[in-house]
Every structure is written in C-alpha cells, then in structure tokens.
Amino acid sequence: MMGLLMCLGCVLLDFMMVHSHVLMQGRIVGGHTAAPNSIKYIVSLQSTKGQHFCGGSLVHRYWVLTAAHCNIGAEHMMIVAGDYIVNTFEGTEQYAKPHRVVTHPLYNRSTNNADIMLIKLRAPMVLNKYVSLAPLPRQGTGVVEGLVCRVSGWGYNNLGGGQAPFTLRTVTVPIVSTARCNSSMSFNGNITANMICAGYRTGGKDACKGDSGGPLVCGGRVYGVVSWGNGCGDAKFPGVYTAVSKFRRWIDQTIYRSYLRCTKY
Ligand SMILES: *[C@@H]1O[C@H](CO)[C@@H](O)[C@H](O)[C@H]1NC(C)=O
Ligand SMILES: *[C@@H]1O[C@H](CO)[C@@H](O)[C@H](O)[C@H]1NC(C)=O
Ligand SMILES: *[C@@H]1O[C@H](CO)[C@@H](O)[C@H](O)[C@H]1NC(C)=O
C-alpha cells in the first residue's frame, strides 16, 4: 500500500512536470546564431566520442524527444543539455547517457512516417538557468499555413556538408499547407498526416543535416521534430517535420507508463 502510494506520488509529480513547462521563446540555412542559452530545452545528441549528430528537446527531466532516424543505439549516445557551442566546454553543459530509446512503433524508415523517438536518460537533467523543459502542443492541435515558426540546431549550413558550425543556429520558417507540400509540384504524395512542412516559397531558409531531431517551435511549443527534406533550403521542397501534436498522447503514455510500472529501467 505504501509502495503504491509512493508510486502514485512519483507518477503525479513526474506527470505534472510534463505539463508545467515554462513558456520559452524561442542548422540551419539562412539563419543566424542564437543568443547564448536562449533555447534552454534543446539538447545535442552526440556519439560517445563527442561528435554531434542530431538535436532533440528535453520534455521531462528524464526524457528527450527526437527523431526516430537519429537512433544509433542507446549505448552509442550521449545527451548534452545546456550546450551552446558544441565541442567547447562552457561550464553550463549537463551530460546524461540514455537508459533506453523508444522509437514509435509505426516508424517507417522508407516513408519517414512517425519519425519520432523518446530517449529515457539514466540520470535526470537538473533544471536551471541553462536547462528547461520544452512545452508541447496538445494532442491533435494543428498549425495554420503561414504561421511563422522557429527551427534551431547545430547542423550543417548548406548541403554538401562542409564543417558543422559549432554554435547553435536558428531560423524562422512559415508553415506550408499539406496540400501544397504533398502536391506534384513538391513532395508528390509522400507527405503523411503525421508530417508538417515549413519553408519559404523562395527557399533559402531551412533546417539541414545535423539538425535532425531538433525542435520546430510555434507559439512557444514544439510542434515539429526536424525529420527529412530534399536538399536544404530548396524553394520547391520545404523542410518536413514530424507533427508532434499527433503524438502527444503517445509521448505522455510512454513517459507515464514507465513510472506507472514503478520499475527502474
Ligand atoms: C513502410 O511503408 C511502405 C510503403 O507504404 C510499406 O510497403 C512497408 O511495408 C512499410 N514498412 C514497414 C516496416 O512498416
Ligand atoms: C516520393 O517517394 C517515392 C518512393 O519512396 C520516391 O521514389 C520519390 O522520389 C519521392 N518523391 C519526392 C518528390 O519526394
Ligand atoms: C498525400 O498524397 C498521397 C497520394 O495522393 C495520399 O495518399 C496522402 O494521403 C496525402 N497525404 C495527406 C496528408 O493528405
């Protein structure tokens, strides 16, 4: 009985943490460097050798939201929060190893559908001046065409690679309607209901390789996870993001379930 009560207590506390986020304002092609530690929920996914390869968002002290295609195996990853210039120690970083990764059961690597993943950390991140939780949209809430959102990351500046900039970069992009994004003029039927598109008709501003898994923030909430595209900043092809609001229930259930079982993973 005592155990059950304690279990419920931890469930409620941790569940509430998911909902009581502080509202934050929030690779980017055509963008600029972000102000230091201005996007406090963004995390860098790094190899155990310290090489940045994807972005993510801290959604709970123990959980990171990212893209399923960023899964290189829990044992090969290190999560870094509170970072600004990757590969440079600034004293604000917190490091945590994943305990396990949960990719969405519907994730399909050939269609990129349901490109979403949660990473449970071995130790919780400490929330402070440099690290906070990302506010998420409610289940099923949409974003209207033209709404200007912000995508941030440490990825490449342009396609064709080159050197990844070490400082966090950010750019604003407007939401593109699914109809236009899925049309024969663009992705020609490859856009599912679990995706949202964002970019300018003129191109030039976009997320790119290395930004994968990072947040697309609209009205202070993480509506998108950087997923895929066709080139970067191409006028014909906007960036494609996993629609987080389609997975809010799955996110909450995955986090909640791990505490409900009251077991240590
Ligand atoms: C992925 O999607 C393709 C195209 O719809 C389908 O043929 C394939 O079976 C799917 N793969 C998985 C693992 O679901
Ligand atoms: C759409 O997907 C098909 C099959 O995966 C692919 O051959 C085609 O190039 C894609 N088209 C665009 C515009 O992305
Ligand atoms: C995109 O187009 C394809 C092919 O016409 C269609 O099957 C799919 O449902 C469309 N996606 C959305 C989100 O409407």
Side-chain angles (χ1 to χ4, degrees), residues 38-259:
S38 57
I39 307 165
K40 302 178 196 185
Y41 47 76
I42 197 169
V43 300
S44 166
L45 272 53
Q46 301 186 358
S47 68
T48 45
K49 289 200 174 84
Q51 186 71 50
H52 166 89
F53 66 91
C54 269
S57 303
L58 192 69
V59 294
H60 180 282
R61 287 165 303 146
Y62 270 103
W63 293 86
V64 165
L65 179 70
T66 184
H69 80 266
C70 291
N71 186 14
I72 61 165
E75 67 278 21
H76 302 297
M77 286 187 215
M78 177 66 88
I79 312 301
V80 187
D83 216 348
Y84 178 53
I85 306 172
V86 287
N87 305 351
T88 301
F89 184 70
E90 299 153 287
T92 54
E93 298 91 342
Q94 294 182 44
Y95 302 86
K97 282 187 174 159
H99 197 292
R100 64 188 179 111
V101 298
V102 185
T103 52
H104 196 278
L106 293 180
Y107 172 55
N108 186 319
R109 66 174 68 235
S110 57
T111 61
N112 299 309
N113 191 40
D115 186 11
I116 195 162
M117 176 170 80
L118 283 163
I119 302 172
K120 171 110 193 248
L121 307 176
R122 282 183 188 276
M125 295 294 185
V126 175
L127 306 183
N128 59 22
K129 261 167 66 183
Y130 310 102
V131 177
S132 72
L133 301 180
L136 300 178
R138 290 178 195 282
Q139 177 72 27
T141 48
V143 277
V144 295
E145 181 173 17
L147 179 69
V148 176
C149 305
R150 175 175 295 283
V151 58
S152 310
W154 286 278
Y156 298 116
N157 267 322
N158 51 44
L159 197 71
Q163 186 98 27
F166 297 124
T167 307
L168 181 65
R169 296 185 70 82
T170 185
V171 70
T172 56
V173 278
I175 297 294
V176 172
S177 72
T178 297
R180 186 152 69 88
C181 196
N182 201 23
S183 75
S184 57
M185 297 298 290
S186 193
F187 287 107
N188 194 25
N190 290 341
I191 302 300
T192 72
N194 294 324
M195 300 171 186
I196 51 179
C197 304
Y200 287 93
R201 278 173 192 269
T202 48
K205 292 186 175 187
D206 201 359
C208 204
K209 202 180 161 196
D211 293 324
S212 280
L216 176 75
V217 178
C218 314
R221 293 178 190 272
V222 178
Y223 271 89
V225 167
V226 178
S227 180
W228 62 289
N230 188 334
C232 307
D234 188 322
K236 206 174 151 206
F237 298 105
V240 187
Y241 299 80
T242 309
V244 172
S245 73
K246 299 280 181 171
F247 299 100
R248 178 61 199 267
R249 207 168 286 142
W250 175 76
I251 293 167
D252 287 352
Q253 282 170 357
T254 303
I255 295 175
Y256 180 75
R257 222 182 284 130
S258 81
Y259 293 99

